[in-house]
Amino acid sequence: MVRNITLDNPAERQEDDEFNRWPFSQRLAATIAEFDASQGAPVFGLFGKWGYGKSTVLNFVRAVLEKDYGSRVTVFAFNPWLLKDQDALLKEFFVGLGRSVNAEVEKVGKTIGELMVRYSGALRTIPFYGSIVADGMKQFGEDISKDSIQEQRDRLTLAMRDTTRKVVVLIDDLDRLDHDEIMTVLKMVRLSANFPNVIYLLAFDEERVGRIAAKAYGEAADGRGFLEKIIQYPFSLPAVSSDRLAAYVMLHARAACDATGLTIDQTAWDELYQICRHDFLVLLTTPRQAIRYANALRFALPMLKGEVDPFDQMIVEATRIFFPYLYTLMRNNPNFSDTDFDNEVKVRETSPAEIEAAKRLVKVLLSRDPPSNKPITDPRYHGRYFSYAVAVDDISDMQLRSLLGLSEAGNQAAVDTAVRDLARM
């Protein structure tokens, strides 16, 4: 069964692992769960660009921790992107963290949750990046004692040493925040890290967050150094091989055709696979891009069933997703040619590999062998590939086939009615 990826939601179960991320996630979860954090805990970093599947790996890590280590690990998943401002971010983080480790601690006469609240209230006096997060935190920490921040931290550290369960804090979507919020989260982690039995796993685009940290400190080296002080165990998301991306595209292309009731011969599938490997994958480099293409096929193929060549339609959809300037050129120029393409790329900063891949796609559409019976260069069919519909002043192929069927069956009355209906369109 092919997983429904219409919403582009990250996978959550091992059986939905289409890019071989589960083994890496298992190993990462085991490393975190088995880490001796009784005297202090590290911060793990999971680095990867947008669309590479960081959220999926975090889901897998959480699933493994809860299933295999649930008796000694509590997972606290924190998504700062869902919060509206820095005040809410700080409050929700410490309340959630406190709730995750809330147990009576006899030595200090308070629950750990209460100590977390008190410690976070003490942090109101510290200026966070971009603004002093004070007004909201004052309300949140009204009950704060007059002890120093270090005294609050020492009390919380002592309490955390008595816990029997580790808390693993998963922070996702850090790189989706604005500059001030990113620096707030990083400083928040910095101020609350190294508590016994609290381990952090942060997932983000290292380059983007590093640039923001560098801007905050004025030099690129300072930005990298800031991240290095926070992240003690950095891991890069495993690369997805081109073979796996191509296999994924073909799996979902076939599924889209099957769902639509389209039949494509094996020779055409073999050709599409080669085109995918040599042309699509020049720009198709992430799981998210592959998912976008699969969703495009699921949308477009049913709308034009019987009205265009499905093979050509799959090529056209690929140009829309991966080579948008080529798509626009073809859409706006029914008589497009190699010369038109050459003129287009002259004004663009396009890599030689991308140019060659786009040229090969143009050649496929212009000179199919055997030729398509509904070529994109035919004025009757051209517009259908780009409008997802048959023009109002046109007669669809499906209507013509229906009319021919009635004629061959000798049903003249039905033929007359169908012709009159067409004439009124």
Side-chain angles (χ1 to χ4, degrees), residues 53-72:
K54 297 186 296 296
S55 297
T56 288
V57 170
L58 283 189
N59 284 344
F60 288 170
V61 167
R62 179 174 187 170
V64 174
L65 288 173
E66 292 178 341
K67 179 178 182 294
D68 297 341
Y69 305 95
S71 62
R72 48 197 172 106

Side-chain angles (χ1 to χ4, degrees), residues 249-250 253-254 256-258 260-280 293 296-297 300-302 304-320 322 327 330 360-377 381 385-386:
V249 167
M250 296 304 297
R254 286 179 178 270
C257 286
D258 290 344
T260 307
L262 290 168
T263 301
I264 297 178
D265 64 57
Q266 188 57 47
T267 300
W269 282 123
D270 292 343
E271 183 182 359
L272 184 65
Y273 177 71
Q274 294 304 319
I275 291 171
C276 178
R277 281 185 52 82
H278 296 113
D279 302 321
F280 296 177
Y293 179 57
L297 296 185
L301 289 174
L304 291 172
K305 179 181 179 182
E307 306 299 342
V308 298
D309 186 316
F311 182 93
D312 284 0
Q313 190 178 9
M314 288 191 283
I315 302 297
V316 170
E317 287 301 307
T319 67
R320 185 174 67 83
F322 310 125
Y327 177 86
M330 295 188 300
R360 287 192 294 268
L361 293 180
V362 170
K363 185 176 180 180
V364 168
L365 292 171
L366 293 181
S367 54
R368 287 275 305 280
D369 184 21
S372 170
N373 61 353
K374 298 173 184 177
I376 193 173
T377 51
Y381 294 105
Y385 285 98
F386 301 97

Side-chain angles (χ1 to χ4, degrees), residues 24-35:
F24 172 83
S25 305
Q26 276 185 308
R27 178 57 185 152
L28 182 56
T31 301
I32 291 171
E34 294 167 1
F35 193 96

